[in-house]
PDB file of all heavy atoms in Angstrom:
ATOM      1  N   LYS A   1       8.040  45.208  26.167  1.00  0.00           N
ATOM      2  CA  LYS A   1       8.061  46.257  25.124  1.00  0.00           C
ATOM      3  C   LYS A   1       9.425  47.036  25.066  1.00  0.00           C
ATOM      4  O   LYS A   1       9.841  47.561  23.997  1.00  0.00           O
ATOM      5  CB  LYS A   1       6.948  47.274  25.292  1.00  0.00           C
ATOM      6  CG  LYS A   1       5.584  46.807  24.897  1.00  0.00           C
ATOM      7  CD  LYS A   1       4.491  47.926  25.052  1.00  0.00           C
ATOM      8  CE  LYS A   1       3.186  47.529  24.581  1.00  0.00           C
ATOM      9  NZ  LYS A   1       2.155  48.622  24.590  1.00  0.00           N
ATOM     10  N   THR A   2      10.147  47.092  26.230  1.00  0.00           N
ATOM     11  CA  THR A   2      11.313  48.026  26.211  1.00  0.00           C
ATOM     12  C   THR A   2      12.575  47.132  26.430  1.00  0.00           C
ATOM     13  O   THR A   2      13.700  47.739  26.383  1.00  0.00           O
ATOM     14  CB  THR A   2      11.148  48.854  27.357  1.00  0.00           C
ATOM     15  OG1 THR A   2      10.933  48.303  28.582  1.00  0.00           O
ATOM     16  CG2 THR A   2      10.066  49.914  27.049  1.00  0.00           C
ATOM     17  N   ARG A   3      12.511  45.793  26.609  1.00  0.00           N
ATOM     18  CA  ARG A   3      13.641  44.954  26.980  1.00  0.00           C
ATOM     19  C   ARG A   3      13.739  43.823  25.846  1.00  0.00           C
ATOM     20  O   ARG A   3      13.783  42.638  26.274  1.00  0.00           O
ATOM     21  CB  ARG A   3      13.705  44.453  28.360  1.00  0.00           C
ATOM     22  CG  ARG A   3      13.870  45.614  29.310  1.00  0.00           C
ATOM     23  CD  ARG A   3      13.589  45.109  30.677  1.00  0.00           C
ATOM     24  NE  ARG A   3      14.001  46.183  31.637  1.00  0.00           N
ATOM     25  CZ  ARG A   3      13.194  47.162  31.968  1.00  0.00           C
ATOM     26  NH1 ARG A   3      12.036  47.358  31.342  1.00  0.00           N
ATOM     27  NH2 ARG A   3      13.562  48.090  33.019  1.00  0.00           N
ATOM     28  N   ASN A   4      13.672  44.196  24.673  1.00  0.00           N
ATOM     29  CA  ASN A   4      13.684  43.224  23.586  1.00  0.00           C
ATOM     30  C   ASN A   4      14.811  43.533  22.525  1.00  0.00           C
ATOM     31  O   ASN A   4      15.352  44.552  22.601  1.00  0.00           O
ATOM     32  CB  ASN A   4      12.352  43.085  22.821  1.00  0.00           C
ATOM     33  CG  ASN A   4      11.876  44.447  22.357  1.00  0.00           C
ATOM     34  OD1 ASN A   4      12.386  44.837  21.272  1.00  0.00           O
ATOM     35  ND2 ASN A   4      10.926  45.070  23.133  1.00  0.00           N
ATOM     36  N   ILE A   5      14.912  42.609  21.511  1.00  0.00           N
ATOM     37  CA  ILE A   5      16.070  42.831  20.652  1.00  0.00           C
ATOM     38  C   ILE A   5      15.875  44.110  19.780  1.00  0.00           C
ATOM     39  O   ILE A   5      16.765  44.713  19.368  1.00  0.00           O
ATOM     40  CB  ILE A   5      16.350  41.531  19.778  1.00  0.00           C
ATOM     41  CG1 ILE A   5      17.594  41.630  19.150  1.00  0.00           C
ATOM     42  CG2 ILE A   5      15.258  41.227  19.030  1.00  0.00           C
ATOM     43  CD1 ILE A   5      18.863  41.822  19.962  1.00  0.00           C
ATOM     44  N   LEU A   6      14.580  44.286  19.375  1.00  0.00           N
ATOM     45  CA  LEU A   6      14.254  45.602  18.557  1.00  0.00           C
ATOM     46  C   LEU A   6      14.607  46.794  19.224  1.00  0.00           C
ATOM     47  O   LEU A   6      15.397  47.667  18.706  1.00  0.00           O
ATOM     48  CB  LEU A   6      12.799  45.579  18.197  1.00  0.00           C
ATOM     49  CG  LEU A   6      12.288  46.823  17.463  1.00  0.00           C
ATOM     50  CD1 LEU A   6      12.941  46.819  15.997  1.00  0.00           C
ATOM     51  CD2 LEU A   6      10.842  46.828  17.409  1.00  0.00           C
ATOM     52  N   THR A   7      14.259  46.931  20.507  1.00  0.00           N
ATOM     53  CA  THR A   7      14.453  48.162  21.197  1.00  0.00           C
ATOM     54  C   THR A   7      16.013  48.298  21.523  1.00  0.00           C
ATOM     55  O   THR A   7      16.641  49.326  21.432  1.00  0.00           O
ATOM     56  CB  THR A   7      13.778  48.155  22.537  1.00  0.00           C
ATOM     57  OG1 THR A   7      12.347  47.897  22.373  1.00  0.00           O
ATOM     58  CG2 THR A   7      13.959  49.420  23.337  1.00  0.00           C
ATOM     59  N   ALA A   8      16.654  47.093  21.700  1.00  0.00           N
ATOM     60  CA  ALA A   8      18.175  47.128  21.986  1.00  0.00           C
ATOM     61  C   ALA A   8      18.980  47.618  20.795  1.00  0.00           C
ATOM     62  O   ALA A   8      20.036  48.240  20.904  1.00  0.00           O
ATOM     63  CB  ALA A   8      18.617  45.837  22.492  1.00  0.00           C
ATOM     64  N   THR A   9      18.416  47.287  19.463  1.00  0.00           N
ATOM     65  CA  THR A   9      19.123  47.522  18.375  1.00  0.00           C
ATOM     66  C   THR A   9      18.744  48.920  17.622  1.00  0.00           C
ATOM     67  O   THR A   9      19.639  49.563  17.070  1.00  0.00           O
ATOM     68  CB  THR A   9      19.040  46.415  17.386  1.00  0.00           C
ATOM     69  OG1 THR A   9      17.648  46.217  17.015  1.00  0.00           O
ATOM     70  CG2 THR A   9      19.760  45.113  17.970  1.00  0.00           C
ATOM     71  N   THR A  10      17.532  49.379  17.765  1.00  0.00           N
ATOM     72  CA  THR A  10      17.125  50.385  17.021  1.00  0.00           C
ATOM     73  C   THR A  10      16.501  51.611  18.063  1.00  0.00           C
ATOM     74  O   THR A  10      16.427  52.644  17.628  1.00  0.00           O
ATOM     75  CB  THR A  10      15.888  50.065  16.220  1.00  0.00           C
ATOM     76  OG1 THR A  10      14.771  49.668  16.854  1.00  0.00           O
ATOM     77  CG2 THR A  10      16.312  48.940  15.196  1.00  0.00           C
ATOM     78  N   GLY A  11      16.257  51.255  19.265  1.00  0.00           N
ATOM     79  CA  GLY A  11      15.745  52.139  20.210  1.00  0.00           C
ATOM     80  C   GLY A  11      14.215  52.344  20.148  1.00  0.00           C
ATOM     81  O   GLY A  11      13.617  53.132  20.782  1.00  0.00           O
ATOM     82  N   GLN A  12      13.542  51.606  19.077  1.00  0.00           N
ATOM     83  CA  GLN A  12      12.226  51.668  18.869  1.00  0.00           C
ATOM     84  C   GLN A  12      11.517  50.755  19.676  1.00  0.00           C
ATOM     85  O   GLN A  12      11.772  49.497  20.014  1.00  0.00           O
ATOM     86  CB  GLN A  12      11.829  51.307  17.481  1.00  0.00           C
ATOM     87  CG  GLN A  12      10.339  51.332  17.033  1.00  0.00           C
ATOM     88  CD  GLN A  12      10.171  50.868  15.586  1.00  0.00           C
ATOM     89  OE1 GLN A  12      11.098  50.742  14.828  1.00  0.00           O
ATOM     90  NE2 GLN A  12       8.949  50.611  15.224  1.00  0.00           N
ATOM     91  N   GLU A  13      10.339  51.174  20.356  1.00  0.00           N
ATOM     92  CA  GLU A  13       9.544  50.309  21.222  1.00  0.00           C
ATOM     93  C   GLU A  13       8.806  49.326  20.426  1.00  0.00           C
ATOM     94  O   GLU A  13       8.165  49.500  19.389  1.00  0.00           O
ATOM     95  CB  GLU A  13       8.663  51.099  22.085  1.00  0.00           C
ATOM     96  CG  GLU A  13       7.836  50.371  23.163  1.00  0.00           C
ATOM     97  CD  GLU A  13       6.981  51.301  24.066  1.00  0.00           C
ATOM     98  OE1 GLU A  13       7.473  51.716  24.917  1.00  0.00           O
ATOM     99  OE2 GLU A  13       5.731  51.279  23.610  1.00  0.00           O
ATOM    100  N   LEU A  14       8.788  47.963  20.866  1.00  0.00           N
ATOM    101  CA  LEU A  14       8.072  46.975  20.241  1.00  0.00           C
ATOM    102  C   LEU A  14       6.635  47.117  20.440  1.00  0.00           C
ATOM    103  O   LEU A  14       6.129  47.363  21.502  1.00  0.00           O
ATOM    104  CB  LEU A  14       8.593  45.579  20.761  1.00  0.00           C
ATOM    105  CG  LEU A  14       7.984  44.384  20.111  1.00  0.00           C
ATOM    106  CD1 LEU A  14       8.398  44.203  18.686  1.00  0.00           C
ATOM    107  CD2 LEU A  14       8.355  43.066  20.944  1.00  0.00           C
ATOM    108  N   ASP A  15       5.819  47.056  19.341  1.00  0.00           N
ATOM    109  CA  ASP A  15       4.371  47.104  19.405  1.00  0.00           C
ATOM    110  C   ASP A  15       3.895  45.751  19.523  1.00  0.00           C
ATOM    111  O   ASP A  15       3.938  44.871  18.834  1.00  0.00           O
ATOM    112  CB  ASP A  15       3.931  47.652  17.972  1.00  0.00           C
ATOM    113  CG  ASP A  15       2.407  48.099  18.120  1.00  0.00           C
ATOM    114  OD1 ASP A  15       1.849  48.024  19.151  1.00  0.00           O
ATOM    115  OD2 ASP A  15       1.730  48.250  17.014  1.00  0.00           O
ATOM    116  N   ILE A  16       3.190  45.446  20.818  1.00  0.00           N
ATOM    117  CA  ILE A  16       2.668  44.245  21.203  1.00  0.00           C
ATOM    118  C   ILE A  16       1.146  44.473  21.256  1.00  0.00           C
ATOM    119  O   ILE A  16       0.542  45.176  22.036  1.00  0.00           O
ATOM    120  CB  ILE A  16       3.140  43.666  22.471  1.00  0.00           C
ATOM    121  CG1 ILE A  16       4.702  43.590  22.322  1.00  0.00           C
ATOM    122  CG2 ILE A  16       2.619  42.305  22.739  1.00  0.00           C
ATOM    123  CD1 ILE A  16       5.465  43.058  23.602  1.00  0.00           C
ATOM    124  N   VAL A  17       0.362  43.606  20.380  1.00  0.00           N
ATOM    125  CA  VAL A  17      -1.189  43.767  20.391  1.00  0.00           C
ATOM    126  C   VAL A  17      -1.835  42.427  20.510  1.00  0.00           C
ATOM    127  O   VAL A  17      -1.204  41.416  20.191  1.00  0.00           O
ATOM    128  CB  VAL A  17      -1.615  44.547  19.066  1.00  0.00           C
ATOM    129  CG1 VAL A  17      -1.049  45.909  19.025  1.00  0.00           C
ATOM    130  CG2 VAL A  17      -1.149  43.663  17.871  1.00  0.00           C
ATOM    131  N   PRO A  18      -3.046  42.507  21.082  1.00  0.00           N
ATOM    132  CA  PRO A  18      -3.807  41.260  20.895  1.00  0.00           C
ATOM    133  C   PRO A  18      -4.380  41.009  19.597  1.00  0.00           C
ATOM    134  O   PRO A  18      -4.944  41.896  18.929  1.00  0.00           O
ATOM    135  CB  PRO A  18      -4.909  41.436  22.027  1.00  0.00           C
ATOM    136  CG  PRO A  18      -5.219  42.962  21.953  1.00  0.00           C
ATOM    137  CD  PRO A  18      -3.843  43.606  21.669  1.00  0.00           C
ATOM    138  N   MET A  19      -4.517  39.726  19.169  1.00  0.00           N
ATOM    139  CA  MET A  19      -5.258  39.343  17.888  1.00  0.00           C
ATOM    140  C   MET A  19      -6.101  38.133  18.156  1.00  0.00           C
ATOM    141  O   MET A  19      -5.621  37.083  18.528  1.00  0.00           O
ATOM    142  CB  MET A  19      -4.170  38.891  16.732  1.00  0.00           C
ATOM    143  CG  MET A  19      -3.304  40.106  16.321  1.00  0.00           C
ATOM    144  SD  MET A  19      -2.142  39.585  14.984  1.00  0.00           S
ATOM    145  CE  MET A  19      -1.270  40.946  14.609  1.00  0.00           C
ATOM    146  N   LYS A  20      -7.375  38.322  17.855  1.00  0.00           N
ATOM    147  CA  LYS A  20      -8.336  37.329  18.165  1.00  0.00           C
ATOM    148  C   LYS A  20      -8.160  36.044  17.314  1.00  0.00           C
ATOM    149  O   LYS A  20      -8.467  34.878  17.603  1.00  0.00           O
ATOM    150  CB  LYS A  20      -9.748  37.824  18.105  1.00  0.00           C
ATOM    151  CG  LYS A  20     -10.236  37.969  16.734  1.00  0.00           C
ATOM    152  CD  LYS A  20     -11.707  38.342  16.662  1.00  0.00           C
ATOM    153  CE  LYS A  20     -12.268  38.716  15.213  1.00  0.00           C
ATOM    154  NZ  LYS A  20     -13.681  38.863  15.302  1.00  0.00           N
ATOM    155  N   TRP A  21      -7.621  36.194  16.050  1.00  0.00           N
ATOM    156  CA  TRP A  21      -7.352  35.221  15.087  1.00  0.00           C
ATOM    157  C   TRP A  21      -6.266  34.250  15.500  1.00  0.00           C
ATOM    158  O   TRP A  21      -6.019  33.195  15.048  1.00  0.00           O
ATOM    159  CB  TRP A  21      -7.138  35.709  13.731  1.00  0.00           C
ATOM    160  CG  TRP A  21      -8.247  36.367  13.175  1.00  0.00           C
ATOM    161  CD1 TRP A  21      -8.541  37.779  13.131  1.00  0.00           C
ATOM    162  CD2 TRP A  21      -9.457  35.853  12.506  1.00  0.00           C
ATOM    163  NE1 TRP A  21      -9.783  38.102  12.657  1.00  0.00           N
ATOM    164  CE2 TRP A  21     -10.318  36.892  12.182  1.00  0.00           C
ATOM    165  CE3 TRP A  21      -9.773  34.538  12.248  1.00  0.00           C
ATOM    166  CZ2 TRP A  21     -11.506  36.599  11.581  1.00  0.00           C
ATOM    167  CZ3 TRP A  21     -10.938  34.266  11.558  1.00  0.00           C
ATOM    168  CH2 TRP A  21     -11.772  35.416  11.183  1.00  0.00           C
ATOM    169  N   LEU A  22      -5.530  34.573  16.634  1.00  0.00           N
ATOM    170  CA  LEU A  22      -4.454  33.701  17.136  1.00  0.00           C
ATOM    171  C   LEU A  22      -5.017  32.934  18.301  1.00  0.00           C
ATOM    172  O   LEU A  22      -4.242  32.027  18.826  1.00  0.00           O
ATOM    173  CB  LEU A  22      -3.145  34.567  17.643  1.00  0.00           C
ATOM    174  CG  LEU A  22      -2.433  35.241  16.467  1.00  0.00           C
ATOM    175  CD1 LEU A  22      -1.519  36.260  17.094  1.00  0.00           C
ATOM    176  CD2 LEU A  22      -1.695  34.151  15.577  1.00  0.00           C
ATOM    177  N   ASP A  23      -6.232  33.108  18.689  1.00  0.00           N
ATOM    178  CA  ASP A  23      -6.747  32.370  19.813  1.00  0.00           C
ATOM    179  C   ASP A  23      -6.942  30.809  19.508  1.00  0.00           C
ATOM    180  O   ASP A  23      -7.258  30.604  18.285  1.00  0.00           O
ATOM    181  CB  ASP A  23      -8.116  32.994  20.158  1.00  0.00           C
ATOM    182  CG  ASP A  23      -8.767  32.303  21.430  1.00  0.00           C
ATOM    183  OD1 ASP A  23      -9.540  31.308  21.320  1.00  0.00           O
ATOM    184  OD2 ASP A  23      -8.556  32.954  22.507  1.00  0.00           O
ATOM    185  N   LYS A  24      -6.877  29.976  20.467  1.00  0.00           N
ATOM    186  CA  LYS A  24      -6.928  28.530  20.351  1.00  0.00           C
ATOM    187  C   LYS A  24      -8.234  28.022  19.697  1.00  0.00           C
ATOM    188  O   LYS A  24      -8.359  27.048  19.144  1.00  0.00           O
ATOM    189  CB  LYS A  24      -6.604  27.844  21.511  1.00  0.00           C
ATOM    190  CG  LYS A  24      -7.450  28.155  22.750  1.00  0.00           C
ATOM    191  CD  LYS A  24      -7.101  27.337  23.893  1.00  0.00           C
ATOM    192  CE  LYS A  24      -7.849  27.747  25.249  1.00  0.00           C
ATOM    193  NZ  LYS A  24      -7.410  29.187  25.610  1.00  0.00           N
ATOM    194  N   ALA A  25      -9.302  28.985  19.863  1.00  0.00           N
ATOM    195  CA  ALA A  25     -10.555  28.524  19.209  1.00  0.00           C
ATOM    196  C   ALA A  25     -10.498  28.406  17.858  1.00  0.00           C
ATOM    197  O   ALA A  25     -11.300  27.682  17.186  1.00  0.00           O
ATOM    198  CB  ALA A  25     -11.650  29.530  19.674  1.00  0.00           C
ATOM    199  N   ASN A  26      -9.599  29.136  17.125  1.00  0.00           N
ATOM    200  CA  ASN A  26      -9.443  29.070  15.730  1.00  0.00           C
ATOM    201  C   ASN A  26      -8.410  27.750  15.211  1.00  0.00           C
ATOM    202  O   ASN A  26      -8.307  27.655  14.061  1.00  0.00           O
ATOM    203  CB  ASN A  26      -8.929  30.241  15.125  1.00  0.00           C
ATOM    204  CG  ASN A  26      -9.846  31.512  15.293  1.00  0.00           C
ATOM    205  OD1 ASN A  26     -10.931  31.499  14.718  1.00  0.00           O
ATOM    206  ND2 ASN A  26      -9.454  32.390  16.271  1.00  0.00           N
ATOM    207  N   TYR A  27      -8.010  27.022  16.262  1.00  0.00           N
ATOM    208  CA  TYR A  27      -7.066  26.011  15.839  1.00  0.00           C
ATOM    209  C   TYR A  27      -7.453  24.760  16.616  1.00  0.00           C
ATOM    210  O   TYR A  27      -6.760  24.318  17.637  1.00  0.00           O
ATOM    211  CB  TYR A  27      -5.586  26.298  16.192  1.00  0.00           C
ATOM    212  CG  TYR A  27      -5.151  27.594  15.534  1.00  0.00           C
ATOM    213  CD1 TYR A  27      -5.290  28.851  16.174  1.00  0.00           C
ATOM    214  CD2 TYR A  27      -4.710  27.731  14.221  1.00  0.00           C
ATOM    215  CE1 TYR A  27      -4.907  30.128  15.491  1.00  0.00           C
ATOM    216  CE2 TYR A  27      -4.370  28.821  13.490  1.00  0.00           C
ATOM    217  CZ  TYR A  27      -4.520  29.974  14.248  1.00  0.00           C
ATOM    218  OH  TYR A  27      -4.083  31.142  13.613  1.00  0.00           O
ATOM    219  N   PRO A  28      -8.736  24.273  16.436  1.00  0.00           N
ATOM    220  CA  PRO A  28      -9.238  23.131  17.331  1.00  0.00           C
ATOM    221  C   PRO A  28      -8.381  21.896  17.338  1.00  0.00           C
ATOM    222  O   PRO A  28      -8.425  21.141  18.252  1.00  0.00           O
ATOM    223  CB  PRO A  28     -10.642  22.874  16.659  1.00  0.00           C
ATOM    224  CG  PRO A  28     -10.411  23.347  15.232  1.00  0.00           C
ATOM    225  CD  PRO A  28      -9.567  24.600  15.365  1.00  0.00           C
ATOM    226  N   SER A  29      -7.600  21.693  16.234  1.00  0.00           N
ATOM    227  CA  SER A  29      -6.807  20.457  16.166  1.00  0.00           C
ATOM    228  C   SER A  29      -5.540  20.398  17.102  1.00  0.00           C
ATOM    229  O   SER A  29      -5.138  19.407  17.658  1.00  0.00           O
ATOM    230  CB  SER A  29      -6.143  20.192  14.779  1.00  0.00           C
ATOM    231  OG  SER A  29      -5.368  21.359  14.393  1.00  0.00           O
ATOM    232  N   THR A  30      -5.071  21.573  17.422  1.00  0.00           N
ATOM    233  CA  THR A  30      -3.972  21.743  18.362  1.00  0.00           C
ATOM    234  C   THR A  30      -4.480  22.361  19.781  1.00  0.00           C
ATOM    235  O   THR A  30      -3.770  22.065  20.815  1.00  0.00           O
ATOM    236  CB  THR A  30      -2.927  22.666  17.856  1.00  0.00           C
ATOM    237  OG1 THR A  30      -3.397  23.982  17.514  1.00  0.00           O
ATOM    238  CG2 THR A  30      -2.417  22.058  16.521  1.00  0.00           C
ATOM    239  N   ASN A  31      -5.483  23.129  19.722  1.00  0.00           N
ATOM    240  CA  ASN A  31      -6.011  23.768  20.970  1.00  0.00           C
ATOM    241  C   ASN A  31      -4.962  24.539  21.756  1.00  0.00           C
ATOM    242  O   ASN A  31      -4.915  24.499  22.924  1.00  0.00           O
ATOM    243  CB  ASN A  31      -6.610  22.757  21.759  1.00  0.00           C
ATOM    244  CG  ASN A  31      -7.570  23.229  22.884  1.00  0.00           C
ATOM    245  OD1 ASN A  31      -8.274  24.320  22.654  1.00  0.00           O
ATOM    246  ND2 ASN A  31      -7.609  22.755  24.160  1.00  0.00           N
TER     247      ASN A  31
END
């Protein structure tokens, strides 16, 4: 959250959140 390109350029903390729709269960062809 604090050592990424966004924080380095703007001083803003990166918002990192979980999303269930990105889970592999929703992409059975690639898993």
